[in-house]
Amino acid sequence: MITIEKNPVSLLPQTDLTAPVFGKIHTDHLFVAEYKNGTWHEGKIIPFQHLSLSPFALALHYAQSVFEGMKAFNTADGRTYVFRPEDHHTRLTRSMQRMCMPEIPKSLFLEAVSTFVHLEKEWIPSAQGGALYLRPLVFASEARVGVKIAEEYLFLIMACPTVPMYSKPLSVKVETQYARAAEGGTGNAKCAGNYGAAFYPTHLAQQEGFDQVIWTDAKTHSFIEESGTMNVFAVINGVLTTPPVSGTILEGITRDTILSIAKRMNIPTEERKISVEELESGFKNGSITEIFGTGTAAAVIPIQKVSIDGRTYSPEGEYSIMNQLGSTLQSIRSGTLEDTQHWMVFVD
Ligand code: COI
């Protein structure tokens, strides 16, 4: 049973929800559960506040820290739901196993998410694409500088009102010098270290005027993998194509959603490796008509410019496949198209 201590002072009346900058505004509450003495304890929802943490907390030193990015939406008729929470729990569990962290029971995770969203649902912006971005975070809180697997953890859920993270088509650089993930590494775990390690190459690309990089495989730098905050799709000869989720690519929930919707719409799909060479020749000969990114925070966003070794390409298609997929997803989310896959879990 999750206990709730309501925040006596809500920040909502003084918050402008029309175009919130991603990740800047927090809602009124925080969910906290503790792992200690070999078990996860019942969680509580408390007023949003700072944590008290030992400087010895193991996560700060050795990066035993994983997270999820999920969204809660309102349907057109005003019901609130969380999108694919069980799948987020499955991915979180996989990430935690890779980082030697104790599994969070599914029942605890799902109850925490729905109780929390129920309490914070007034924070969902009414704008198109408006959502409550949920950030479940689990990290090693045990105070010990010794290099070891922690025996104490905190599981938090925080939230921010959001609209899709990018407001305009992206310009990306295919990164062939630095790598995000190597085989056998942690590329398919949503662990904090993957993001910190990506900052430097991304920062260099941003200094050159790009929004993001598209990573390539660490061994040969000849196959594309994913982009910083998104999985990548290209429409090649009319086929919706995306690299297979291997150990080095994060299994995006939005990626999977888009593939399912494409199958439902009889759009041909293929999960296969895409070489940088194929990408470049596809732009040159016009066989690549669309390239876009998908992610929970990013939603579905066109990539307008792709730079390969200093040569810049723009697909010449009208993004009709991406637009059809995006609007079908939007119709499911707003409740106007049947949710045949039971992705929406209502909290009220
Ligand atoms: C998400 O899309 O939810 C992510 O976690 C990517 C990024 C915001 C860290």
Side-chain angles (χ1 to χ4, degrees), residues 22 67-70 133 135 165 190 195 228-229 295-298:
F22 180 79
F67 64 91
E68 272 302 310
M70 319 168 50
Y133 182 81
R135 174 52 63 84
M165 188 161 68
K190 205 161 171 65
Y195 292 82
T229 51
T296 299

Side-chain angles (χ1 to χ4, degrees), residues 26 57-58 75 87 97 99 115-116 132 149 157 169 179-180 182 189 211 273 292 322:
H26 61 76
L58 280 163
T75 57
D87 298 303
Q97 276 165 355
M99 297 304 290
T115 311
F116 187 80
L132 195 59
I149 299 168
I157 302 176
R180 173 185 172 274
D211 298 295
K273 289 186 168 195
F292 59 93
M322 187 203 79

Side-chain angles (χ1 to χ4, degrees), residues 185-243:
T186 58
N188 67 347
K190 205 161 171 65
C191 57
N194 284 348
Y195 292 82
F199 284 164
Y200 182 65
T202 307
H203 173 67
L204 294 180
Q206 284 168 347
Q207 281 182 327
E208 291 177 62
F210 301 102
D211 298 295
Q212 275 294 338
V213 298
I214 291 182
W215 299 104
T216 50
D217 69 286
K219 217 185 225 167
T220 67
H221 290 295
S222 41
F223 294 94
I224 65 164
E225 300 226 304
E226 63 171 82
S227 185
T229 51
M230 311 175 297
N231 293 109
V232 177
F233 285 86
V235 176
I236 309 177
N237 292 318
V239 179
L240 181 68
T241 312
T242 190

